Amino acid sequence: MRDAYHEELDSLSDRLVEMTRLVRSAMARAVTALLDADLRLSEEVISGDEHVNKIDADIEETVFDLMARQQPVAGDLRTLITALRMSGDLERMGDLAVHIAKTARRRHPESAVPPELQATVLEMGQIAERMIAKTGSVIASQDVEMGLELDADDDQMDRLHRRLFDVMLSPKWKHGVEPAVDISLAGRYFERFADHAVHVAENVVYLVTGQRAEEIGELA
């Protein structure tokens, strides 16, 4: 019985890593759809989110079932609680990719991103992909040092987010209100995506060390 129990605990990590793979794919396709006005990719991202939602629901069901049957304590309880938190963050990251895809769909057949912002949005998408890839590696390896590195990626995303507004608020902006609203929303989606990736990594740090990431930073 205990072996089966620990196999179920281990399976939580596998399912979380699978969520990161699905979310990374969704974000990559959403960014391409946004930049290239690709309606097919937009629809794929939107419909594919059901798979991420299902894994999230399965993880939640498993966690509650194990808590009821096994009454875990100490490290096992921490594993269950952090798995639940990480699953929620990853599910919301999938939703954010969907929001980006819906922005692309709404502006089709035109691109939602004016030419002067294409490079910035592309870079934001690349950072988002890199962060979710690192997140999957952190979950699989429980590498605390790598988990703490995501803060630097988040800072870079924040800088690019500010750059979007610098361009849109410039007197040279000639695209009107609607494109500015779309870009503002997309920038916010990227920023929130990065924040959730950091949250996931922080939960891994807590799982391994029993300390919050900021506490480790203060001791460093």
Side-chain angles (χ1 to χ4, degrees):
M1 287 292 292
R2 298 302 294 179
D3 286 344
Y5 165 55
H6 284 101
E7 284 178 8
E8 287 185 274
L9 284 177
D10 292 341
S11 77
L12 291 172
S13 176
D14 294 338
R15 280 180 276 180
L16 289 167
V17 171
E18 177 63 16
M19 287 182 79
T20 68
R21 294 194 187 104
L22 292 170
V23 170
R24 181 182 184 184
S25 175
M27 176 54 78
R29 288 178 291 163
V31 172
T32 300
L34 187 69
L35 294 171
D36 297 345
D38 191 319
L39 185 60
R40 179 185 61 82
L41 282 180
S42 297
E43 298 293 356
E44 285 181 6
V45 173
I46 294 164
S47 63
D49 192 50
E50 284 300 315
H51 194 177
V52 175
N53 293 343
K54 184 180 184 307
I55 298 176
D56 177 49
D58 289 345
I59 288 174
E60 182 177 303
E61 183 178 348
T62 298
V63 168
F64 289 152
D65 179 64
L66 290 174
M67 291 178 73
R69 287 191 293 108
Q70 303 292 341
Q71 298 181 336
V73 296
D76 288 350
L77 181 60
R78 196 158 68 206
T79 296
L80 294 175
I81 296 300
T82 54
L84 201 57
R85 289 174 176 169
M86 288 188 282
S87 179
D89 274 312
L90 292 168
E91 189 275 332
R92 286 186 283 277
M93 292 170 81
D95 289 344
L96 290 164
V98 168
H99 291 331
I100 291 171
K102 286 182 176 179
T103 300
R105 184 176 67 177
R106 184 169 60 250
R107 293 297 304 279
H108 185 269
E110 302 297 326
S111 171
V113 184
E116 61 265 45
L117 285 175
Q118 289 255 335
T120 301
V121 170
L122 176 60
E123 188 174 356
M124 293 177 85
Q126 291 170 339
I127 293 171
E129 283 190 63
R130 183 167 73 240
M131 291 185 76
I132 188 61
K134 281 186 182 179
T135 299
S137 297
V138 169
I139 293 170
S141 65
Q142 297 192 348
D143 186 328
V144 170
E145 185 174 344
M146 185 187 297
L148 295 172
E149 289 174 3
L150 267 80
D151 268 336
D153 294 313
D154 186 42
D155 290 342
Q156 189 175 358
M157 184 72 87
D158 290 340
R159 285 193 294 272
L160 291 171
H161 188 218
R162 290 192 293 272
R163 186 188 299 172
L164 292 180
F165 282 92
D166 289 342
V167 173
M168 289 187 293
L169 295 174
S170 166
K172 297 180 180 179
W173 180 257
K174 305 299 183 184
H175 303 284
V177 174
E178 187 175 357
V181 170
D182 286 336
I183 292 296
S184 297
L185 288 172
R188 179 62 174 161
Y189 300 147
F190 283 120
E191 182 192 37
R192 290 300 299 148
F193 188 95
D195 289 342
H196 284 298
V198 171
H199 292 164
V200 174
E202 287 175 345
N203 273 291
V204 174
V205 170
Y206 176 68
L207 173 63
V208 174
T209 67
Q211 292 180 298
R212 300 294 179 188
E214 58 268 23
E215 294 172 342
I216 293 175
E218 289 171 0
L219 295 173

